Amino acid sequence: MTNDSDENETAEDLPIREIKNWLTNFLSAPHENLGREGEVCPFVAPAMRSNSLHLETVTYVADRGWVGLVEAMHSQMHSYAGRNWPEGKESISALITYVRDMPDHHWPLLDEAQRRVKAEAVRRGLMIGQFHPRCPEPSAWNASFPVSRAPHPLFAIRRMALHDILFLHESPESFSEYDSRFGNRYSDSRSRAHLPQRFVDLYGSATRSDAPKTAYIEYQSIDTLLSLQRPHTGQPAEMTFYLAGQAKELLFKLVHEEVAAARLSLVTDRADEAAWNLRRAAIALDVLAKTWDILAAISPAEFNSFREQLGSASGIDSYMYRILEFSLGRKSEALARRHADVAGVTEGVYRALHQSSLYDEALGLLHRRGLLTGDPGEGHWAADARMRAWAHVYRESGPSNELFRFAETLMDLAQAFSRWRSLHLLLVERIIGNKPGTGGTTGVDWLRRSAAHRFFPELWEARSVLSPGAPPW
């Protein structure tokens, strides 16, 4: 990446002017959806007035992808630390870097780069945030408001501040850095009395006590993992139910990690790499399907012996499952709202709701390959256009073509997911019959509708228009 300050430009170009307008008219102003009073970012206006906010430009190199972005972020963090900021204004100083010449379908790579650099920035006492027109990052005060959307891709570096407990409380490592700088504000009762209650609550929940651990326990967090089983009864079958549920959550996360990696590969047109990740995701879904066999070994009487202790607890409120569904392309504002105002959960759910899905990026790949033409309108091509594009892949391609291989891997994933849902339906029918579900659902009826859904529907429908008797490719 190249780096050139806008101070050396003889005439500001349109993106620079639009970014400056965004700083003034959006970040420095209140917003009705922010979730609190005051400006979107209360430090921007004072920083601009005191000449403590600098705007620079780096040029994106497509072949480097997120790796190049990480390098640029490291370089800018070094530049930030070496600057002579106005005396007394260091705490509000900020370095904003515009990423020039970045294709819009590469914007998700900026999110990935920030995720990979954040921990190092925090160790340096810094915060780094990414912004672009489709940035999924939600407001810390209103998760339904994607607050980090800017007119052009950029990232910002500033010093860690007291309010960053909002962003650092979930990671023990990041919280430790925060605590070393601001912990005295919470330990002193007079100082704590002036802090927002939410800060105090998040600080309390993040406080951990450390103990010596073996290398294996430390690496796998075994002590934490094995301390998380807390059945509510002494019924032996409840532990089976409990552990199978936790195993499913871990496998949901595993599948999501593979899907997320595949999505980023599609952003940079690497269909075979995406297929490799999705292959592992499909295998993990097959393992997930086996969890229903474990639960099927619980008799109706055994389940009824502890079911009342579940209360309203239901798999419909699994936020990891919801994030996985959203990341695959089945999104629902109504289902996202079930996770609103849930500490440590809401942000991730709404981020997955707002960002592009795996299927969105798959369609974008078809578009860039010339198979999906026309204007997508509000980000979506017509269903028949999508179906024709997939049909073309099957008519014109075979196993030697990466799009063909990718399409079949998508089908492997979709089929594995549908099989998991169908087995879930059968299990519930076997164990509780037609009783209502615990989460306010209709039980079997709800699951039957869910089992009928298919991910990547046009990929399924394309089979119906392929000519009989035609060669396989």
Side-chain angles (χ1 to χ4, degrees), residues 364-419:
L365 178 66
L366 293 183
H367 175 64
R368 294 190 294 278
R369 296 293 176 88
L371 301 180
L372 192 53
T373 58
D375 185 355
E378 294 295 321
H380 301 283
W381 284 272
D384 60 339
R386 299 195 295 261
M387 185 269 291
R388 289 195 301 271
W390 289 119
H392 180 87
V393 170
Y394 280 96
R395 287 194 190 99
E396 304 298 327
S397 306
S400 63
N401 180 275
E402 67 169 352
L403 287 181
F404 179 96
R405 294 191 298 270
F406 174 65
E408 284 295 273
T409 309
L410 276 182
M411 282 298 296
D412 290 341
L413 184 68
Q415 179 175 315
F417 214 115
S418 292
R419 179 170 175 266

Side-chain angles (χ1 to χ4, degrees), residues 457-472:
E458 297 82 21
L459 194 53
W460 295 81
E461 293 163 8
R463 272 85 176 144
S464 302
V465 300
L466 297 177
S467 302

Side-chain angles (χ1 to χ4, degrees), residues 27-39:
L27 288 188
S28 300
H31 196 287
E32 60 181 1
N33 295 328
L34 184 60
R36 60 164 173 78
E37 296 181 353
E39 299 82 3

Side-chain angles (χ1 to χ4, degrees), residues 172-248:
E173 180 182 358
S174 295
F175 173 74
S176 177
E177 297 292 342
Y178 175 89
D179 193 28
S180 68
R181 293 168 174 82
F182 300 103
N184 62 319
R185 298 286 296 274
Y186 296 86
S187 59
D188 181 83
S189 59
R190 288 177 296 180
S191 296
R192 187 172 62 248
H194 296 286
L195 296 176
Q197 187 59 44
R198 187 177 181 190
F199 290 12
V200 175
D201 292 342
L202 290 176
Y203 183 88
S205 68
T207 304
R208 298 285 189 271
S209 59
D210 297 327
K213 302 173 184 178
T214 67
Y216 175 70
I217 292 174
E218 181 75 35
Y219 180 74
Q220 296 282 12
S221 301
I222 298 298
D223 54 346
T224 301
L225 184 65
L226 298 184
S227 70
L228 298 178
Q229 291 74 52
R230 302 184 183 95
H232 290 208
T233 73
Q235 300 295 330
E238 188 186 1
M239 180 60 86
T240 299
F241 180 84
Y242 204 104
L243 280 166
Q246 290 188 332
K248 285 187 292 182

Side-chain angles (χ1 to χ4, degrees), residues 264-293:
L264 291 175
S265 292
L266 292 179
V267 165
T268 50
D269 302 298
R270 297 195 295 271
D272 266 343
E273 288 187 20
W276 187 252
N277 289 108
L278 297 183
R279 168 182 169 272
R280 285 200 294 265
I283 293 171
L285 280 167
D286 287 339
V287 176
L288 263 166
K290 297 297 291 183
T291 61
W292 299 131
D293 293 339

Side-chain angles (χ1 to χ4, degrees), residues 10 16 25 32 35 48-49 68 98 256 260 303 404 423 459-460:
T10 57
I16 295 295
N25 299 324
E32 60 181 1
M48 289 192 295
R49 287 195 298 267
Y98 162 45
H256 176 259
F303 182 67
F404 179 96
L423 290 174
L459 194 53
W460 295 81

